[in-house]
Amino acid sequence: MTRMEKAARRATPQEIDLQFQYMKRVRDILSDGGPRLAWVVTYGCQQNEADSERISGMLQQMGYGRARAAEEADLIVVNTCAVRDHAEKRALSITGGYKHLKKAKPSLLIGLCGCMASKPEMSSRIRKSFPYIDFVFGTEMLWRLPEILYHVMTEEKRLFFPNAGDPVVAEGLPVERESPFRAWVSIMYGCNNFCTYCIVPYVRGGERSRAPADILAEARSLVEGGCKEITLLGQNVNSYGKYGDDGCDFAELLRRLAVLPGDFLLRFMTSHPKDATRELVDVMAAYPKIAKQFHLPVQSGSDRVLAAMNRRYTRDSYLSLVRYMRERMPDIVLTSDIIVGFPGETEEDFEDTLSILREARYDMVYSFLYSKRDGTPAAEMENQIPEEIKGERMARLLALQSEIALEKNLPLVGKTLRVLAEGRSRTSAEMFSGRTEGNKVVLFEGRDEMTGCFLPVRITRAAPFTLWGEVVE
Ligand code: SAH
Ligand code: SF4
Ligand code: F3S
């Protein structure tokens, strides 16, 4: 296949305009019946949070207000995740809980979207077993929500739109962001990597990148509007632009973003180690607006397991990149994802994972018990690991990582760090919470007007997952 054949199809201006026409039609329908409220529930990763902000933006444009709880909603949209079994079960059980709301208010519409709703098999299962779900749309269909909702409303029948293998890049649709000072900006969608455990490529479609000009325009307008932190999103940001024809790869995109005027920080996730280059590290080191923070999921420390996972890097090549990163940016905050109990993982393989934690010295690790996903190669592998062994390994991993995290946090005590204040802490309302440039959580005493500001905070105490400090006035 040539590069051009793999470039993403872009929704045409006519197609986007058609969605705006549907938004108007829905608005007209709603305007007859007084104010309408929508409730959007989101599971899964940042990509889903970003998608939900698009859904909310379109709903607002269609005349929906924001419900404060599911109970008062006229429309509920559940944006689901399929990455682990637990995530799917949770989404289905919460949706099951809405059944009684529909009994009380028969006009209530319930929609299911996101990764779990993308596979045609799942869509048929929902059609049969969840009669109270009115409509389903896959990730590739998200930009057509106005059209879908219009048809659901006017045809008065249940409608199902799983992915159909036609992913597009759609620009210019409305977005309603959760925060005025932190924003997600998707730079690419989908994934072509097919790690053997992972469902994402099957539910998010093929990899496709947005045009650099569209990303730059979005970032510029965010910063002009007072946004202080932009996180670029993609399943593998390092392959940004790979199938485009203008030669702007991820390192170049970062360069162009990092010179935009204004006081803001740039973050990005996720990076696949096989595609993270030294050039990317050099760009990070060179520009002060790029946060010195890197999420580089290793998944396992064993070469044998990495090969079975189809990760296409080795322990050595990974660690050599980490060494280079630390040479160029000694204070870099490094985080990772680990899967515990991949099929065939031996005690020795697992010890390799523990030893890579010691060598890479991560500030934070997100660890997951391997979960079998139908349709992925690893689900068919022999030697699935029993749950009790997975659990026992996980406990050892957490204990080790918590020691390392504390060792990494203790030297920060006494230092003054630049912290973006996020507002009152969700865990203790008297405290304010914020994040360091390395994305570590800091609790401190603050005032409401500090929200959304960069503040100098002197660190006074450290635990494995939290720092405490005081604002240096
Ligand atoms: N694109 C990103 C991550 C996407 S999913 C990347 O390549 O790193 C987020 C994390 O979920 C993965 O890094 C992996 O650690 C975990 N994960 C994915 N599939 C899983 C499965 N079947 N069981 C357990 N964890 C899984
Ligand atoms: Fe899944 Fe691998 Fe793609 Fe990440 S890179 S989304 S882990 S297939
Ligand atoms: Fe889940 Fe889909 Fe993200 S499967 S982790 S919401 S890409």
Side-chain angles (χ1 to χ4, degrees), residues 55-341:
I55 293 171
S56 297
M58 290 188 268
L59 292 178
Q60 195 187 47
Q61 193 80 209
M62 286 187 260
Y64 281 98
R66 236 175 216 251
R68 283 161 305 173
E71 285 68 24
E72 65 174 18
D74 302 287
L75 167 68
I76 296 176
V77 180
V78 185
N79 193 2
T80 62
C81 170
V83 81
R84 284 169 291 274
D85 188 48
H86 175 69
E88 288 200 346
K89 290 227 167 80
R90 254 196 13 205
L92 283 178
S93 87
I94 185 127
T95 313
Y98 298 144
K99 200 160 58 171
H100 73 278
L101 296 179
K102 191 147 178 147
K103 270 209 188 100
K105 191 197 279 180
S107 64
L108 171 66
L109 290 176
I110 302 178
L112 199 77
C113 66
C115 293
M116 195 183 137
S118 294
K119 280 175 119 179
E121 305 89 276
M122 186 49 111
S123 189
S124 328
R125 200 182 128 198
I126 292 166
R127 187 197 290 264
K128 281 196 215 93
S129 313
F130 300 88
Y132 48 89
I133 295 178
D134 299 286
F135 61 106
V136 166
F137 58 100
T139 51
E140 288 173 9
M141 303 292 171
L142 184 135
W143 66 284
R144 289 172 57 194
L145 173 61
E147 177 185 352
I148 292 169
L149 196 55
Y150 174 79
H151 287 296
V152 171
M153 284 175 157
T154 53
E155 291 170 25
E156 295 190 355
K157 64 176 190 208
R158 304 170 69 210
L159 292 174
F160 297 83
F161 298 91
N163 287 356
D166 178 30
V168 303
V169 172
E171 297 289 349
L173 290 163
V175 52
E176 161 88 342
R177 297 185 195 271
E178 291 292 321
S179 162
F181 55 89
R182 304 175 65 194
W184 309 120
V185 172
S186 296
I187 60 167
M188 60 183 308
Y189 309 96
C191 181
N192 284 355
N193 287 310
F194 294 94
C195 303
T196 53
Y197 49 81
C198 186
I199 196 75
V200 172
Y202 307 90
V203 293
R204 285 265 169 193
E207 205 172 279
R208 55 220 186 263
S209 297
R210 293 176 66 198
D214 292 324
I215 297 168
L216 275 155
E218 185 173 349
R220 191 175 289 121
S221 103
L222 280 165
V223 175
E224 283 168 5
C227 183
K228 294 287 188 283
E229 181 189 283
I230 293 178
T231 304
L232 308 175
L233 294 181
Q235 292 303 338
N236 176 11
V237 290
N238 299 309
S239 68
Y240 172 80
K242 204 163 167 182
Y243 306 111
D245 52 0
D246 56 8
C248 178
D249 64 5
F250 184 56
E252 174 59 20
L253 179 72
L254 270 184
R255 263 189 218 106
R256 294 186 196 175
L257 288 163
V259 296
L260 288 178
D263 189 17
F264 68 97
L265 267 183
L266 268 177
R267 303 187 192 280
F268 55 86
M269 66 186 302
T270 297
S271 283
H272 194 306
K274 78 175 164 63
D275 297 315
T277 58
R278 282 169 170 65
E279 186 196 0
L280 169 62
V281 175
D282 294 341
V283 170
M284 281 181 83
Y287 293 89
K289 286 180 192 174
I290 306 177
K292 304 299 175 268
Q293 176 232 329
F294 213 116
H295 183 57
L296 194 64
V298 70
Q299 313 295 359
S300 167
S302 151
D303 279 341
R304 214 184 53 77
V305 174
L306 287 174
M309 287 176 163
N310 188 33
R311 290 290 286 180
R312 290 174 278 169
Y313 53 84
T314 61
R315 176 189 176 97
D316 278 352
S317 69
Y318 181 93
L319 285 172
S320 123
L321 182 67
V322 168
R323 271 193 300 276
Y324 184 71
M325 221 182 265
R326 294 216 196 276
E327 266 164 40
R328 300 301 317 265
M329 298 173 281
D331 292 331
I332 186 99
V333 168
L334 184 67
T335 58
S336 190
D337 292 349
I338 301 276
I339 294 178
V340 174

